[in-house]
Each structure stands twice: as C-alpha cells, then as structure tokens.
C-alpha cells in the first residue's frame, strides 16, 4: 500500500453545536407505492425479482423495499443495477449506475434479517430518536436514516467517508469507493507500508468526528478502507452522538481497536493516548 495518504479538509461553515435534526421514520412515498401496487410498480417489481442479483433476496426483500428502489429509480438516483459488492447478515451492497453515469453503491437493509436488539442499543439515548417505537420496520428505517445523517455530518467535518447521495426507507445510495474489479480494500486485508502516517490520518479523522458530535462506535481495521491513497471510514450506521449514554465506552473501545491494529503494524500507538488526542479541546492540540 502507498506510504502517502491524502486527507480531506472540513467544509466551510458554522461550527458544530448541539443541534440535532429529528429524524422522521413514519411511512414515506415508498410505503405508499407498495400499498397502491399499481401496474408500473408491479412490472418493475417483477423485473427486479427476475434479475439474477436479486433472486436470492426474494424471501427477505418485502414489497416496500422494492418500492423504495422503484422510487430511487424514478427520482434519478439509480439508473441500472450491477452485481453485489458485499453480502452481510443485515444488508447487501450492490454496484449501480447513478446520475450522470457515475458508479454508486446501493446498500439495502433486510428488515426481516436485521438484528433488532443490536440496533436499539445504538438508537436508544440518541437525541434524534427519542420517540422511536418498538416496531422492527421503524427501527431499521431509523437506522438507515441515521447512517445517512451520520455520513453527511462526517463529510462536513472533513472525515473521508463515502458521500451520501439519497435515502429511501431501508435503502441507502452513496458514493462507490473503488469499483468491483478494483475494489477498495479493508485495512484488515492489506499490509500498510507506512503505518505511522496512516495512524495519524485515522486519529485525526476520529478527532474531527468527535468534534462534530459523533462517535463511530465500531471502528477497527474492518471499517477502514483504502483506495488510491485515501483512507476512508465506512459503516457509520451505528455511530452515536457524544450525548449517548454509552458514547465514552464506545469511543474507548474504538481507540483500543485502532491503536492495537496500528501497533501490530509497527506504529507508535496506544489506546489511552489516542483517547486523549481525540477528546482534546481545540486549544490543547498543539502536538
């Protein structure tokens, strides 16, 4: 891997405060489309079900999921689907062609297969979801909208993440980092040639994220990818605000995981020191 790692700059604008926009998880247009089941939607749903990349998902994608994809196609965010990029327990990610012939990633959460209790651990205590109910579909939709909002806030803070493009129900469209034939690699899959430089980039991103009011909550070599000399933070669905009752515990765990990985790679890294760096006030960071 390269020994030079680019770092993005924060977007200009007002500093972050305690403002948190409440996230609406009520029924949206996709749900209404699924209920109406008009001819155009039914034809679209059947074409998608017949597509090779979706055949195995028929038992776990409900009509509203197909309606969400239908709405994103109608709105111009998706033009054509490619093959799967990754398949997980809770979500599948597909390559797709988006607006202006750009490659995008489409992350589809499977409501019936998602770990409801695991998601609630990260949603409860988040000021954006104070009134979230116990309906599994609502929890999954909240999770996806939270991931979109977290990506927006991280990007604004100058953290390199996949650019969020659109969200509809349980489907998230975002920038595709790399392509299927030259996919971005997780740090767990590579040998980092200059681990100290890479570590310093990651710790700066962690600090920017924290100053933007967020804690990743599951950061490790498995949620950091590298492509074309860029380190990219991924999987922000579980990221919580700094006001979450478990935020400090999650952050300390992130610091241990990141420091342990880079120390094994040869960097001078320590979990406690990383925590102090990440949480330092702006007038303290002279190092």
């Amino acid at each position: 891997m390269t020994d030079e790692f680019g770092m993005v700059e924060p977007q200009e604008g007002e500093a972050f405060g305690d403002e948190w926009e409440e996230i609406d998880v009520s029924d949206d247009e996709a749900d209404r489309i699924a209920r109406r089941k008009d001819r155009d939607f039914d034809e679209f749903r059947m074409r998608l079900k017949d597509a090779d990349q979706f055949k195995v998902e028929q038992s776990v994608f409900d009509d509203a999921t197909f309606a969400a994809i239908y709405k994103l196609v109608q709105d111009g965010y998706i033009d054509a689907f490619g093959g799967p990029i990754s398949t997980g327990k809770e979500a599948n990610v597909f390559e797709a062609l988006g607006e202006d012939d750009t490659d995008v990633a489409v992350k589809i959460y499977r409501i019936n297969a998602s770990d409801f209790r695991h998601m609630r651990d990260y949603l409860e205590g988040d000021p954006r979801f104070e009134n979230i109910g116990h309906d599994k579909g609502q929890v999954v939709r909240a999770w996806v909208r939270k991931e979109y909002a977290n990506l927006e806030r991280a990007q604004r803070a100058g953290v390199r993440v996949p650019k969020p493009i659109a969200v509809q129900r349980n489907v998230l469209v975002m920038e595709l980092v790399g392509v299927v034939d030259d996919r971005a690699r997780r740090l767990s899959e590579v040998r980092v040639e200059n681990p100290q430089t890479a570590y310093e980039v990651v710790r700066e991103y962690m600090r920017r994220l924290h100053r933007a009011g967020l804690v990743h909550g599951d950061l490790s070599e498995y949620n950091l990818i590298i492509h074309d000399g860029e380190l990219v933070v991924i999987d922000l669905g579980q990221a919580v605000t700094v006001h979450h009752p478990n935020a400090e515990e999650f952050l300390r765990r992130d610091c241990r995981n990141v420091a342990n990985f880079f120390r094994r790679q040869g960097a001078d890294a320590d979990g406690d020191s990383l925590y102090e760096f990440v949480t330092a006030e702006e007038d303290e960071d002279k190092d």
Side-chain angles (χ1 to χ4, degrees):
M1 290 289 102
T2 180
D3 59 359
E4 296 294 334
F5 301 97
M7 184 179 293
V8 300
E9 293 299 322
Q11 297 177 11
E12 294 184 4
E14 296 181 2
F16 290 100
D18 285 337
E19 74 287 353
W20 294 101
E21 181 180 353
E22 185 176 351
I23 297 179
D24 182 12
V25 295
S26 59
D27 283 3
D28 56 19
E29 182 61 22
D31 295 284
R32 291 187 283 274
I33 291 171
R35 285 194 294 269
R36 284 198 308 266
K37 291 187 178 178
D38 62 25
R39 187 179 64 183
D40 287 343
F41 169 60
D42 272 343
E43 289 177 354
F44 174 86
R45 179 169 55 91
M46 293 311 299
R47 287 201 310 272
L48 214 58
K49 283 189 172 185
D50 287 340
D52 288 340
Q53 62 266 53
F54 286 104
K55 283 182 178 177
V56 296
E57 304 301 340
Q58 291 188 33
S59 61
V60 287
F61 283 1
D62 60 10
D63 283 351
T65 297
F66 288 113
I69 300 170
Y70 177 74
K71 183 68 168 61
L72 289 164
V73 170
Q74 281 189 322
D75 291 343
Y77 295 114
I78 302 172
D79 187 54
F81 268 96
I85 297 172
S86 65
T87 302
K89 291 186 296 183
E90 296 178 345
N92 284 7
V93 182
F94 296 89
E95 182 185 27
L97 193 64
E99 193 175 13
D100 298 325
D101 292 333
T102 57
D103 291 326
V104 298
V106 181
K107 188 173 187 177
I108 305 176
Y109 279 90
R110 300 187 300 243
I111 289 180
N112 293 333
S114 295
D115 189 339
F116 173 80
R117 293 178 182 175
H118 165 76
M119 288 179 170
R120 288 202 62 88
D121 289 344
Y122 288 93
L123 290 171
E124 290 178 345
D126 189 315
R128 297 168 291 181
F129 301 96
E130 289 181 352
N131 299 316
I132 189 68
H134 291 271
D135 177 79
K136 189 170 185 178
Q138 276 201 340
V139 170
V140 176
R141 290 198 295 271
W143 185 271
V144 180
R145 290 188 176 276
K146 180 164 79 90
E147 183 166 7
Y148 182 88
N150 289 344
L151 288 169
E152 281 192 318
R153 183 168 279 242
Q155 183 181 41
R156 181 179 157 202
V159 179
R160 180 65 175 101
V161 296
K163 177 184 176 182
I165 297 172
V167 63
Q168 185 70 229
R169 200 175 179 268
N170 56 317
V171 182
L172 173 64
V173 182
M174 57 189 164
E175 170 195 3
L176 176 61
V177 181
V179 295
V180 172
D181 291 338
D182 184 25
R183 69 177 180 87
R185 301 285 175 176
R186 298 178 188 269
L187 287 193
S188 61
E189 299 176 301
V190 303
R191 179 182 178 277
V192 183
E193 292 181 3
N194 192 333
Q196 191 65 43
T197 302
Y199 172 63
E200 290 170 4
V201 171
V202 173
R203 73 172 191 163
E204 176 61 26
Y205 283 165
M206 292 176 69
R207 177 156 70 176
R208 291 181 184 182
L209 200 64
H210 189 265
R211 287 180 177 173
L214 289 173
V215 173
H216 187 285
D218 192 29
L219 194 60
S220 71
E221 63 269 29
Y222 300 100
N223 288 323
L224 291 161
I225 61 176
I226 185 168
H227 185 71
D228 285 345
E230 281 192 316
L231 285 162
V232 184
V233 183
I234 62 170
D235 294 339
L236 271 76
Q238 76 292 314
V240 300
T241 75
V242 294
H243 306 296
H244 191 283
N246 297 325
E248 182 175 354
E249 175 190 343
F250 292 158
L251 178 58
R252 287 191 179 276
R253 184 178 64 193
D254 285 353
C255 290
R256 286 195 303 271
N257 290 339
V258 169
N260 288 344
F261 169 75
F262 280 105
R263 188 167 59 249
R264 292 194 301 271
Q265 294 280 315
D268 180 12
D270 171 76
D272 291 336
S273 298
L274 177 56
Y275 177 85
E276 295 300 323
F277 178 88
V278 170
T279 58
E281 299 293 335
E282 291 196 41
D283 58 358
E284 296 177 19
D285 49 327
K286 304 299 183 182
D287 51 342

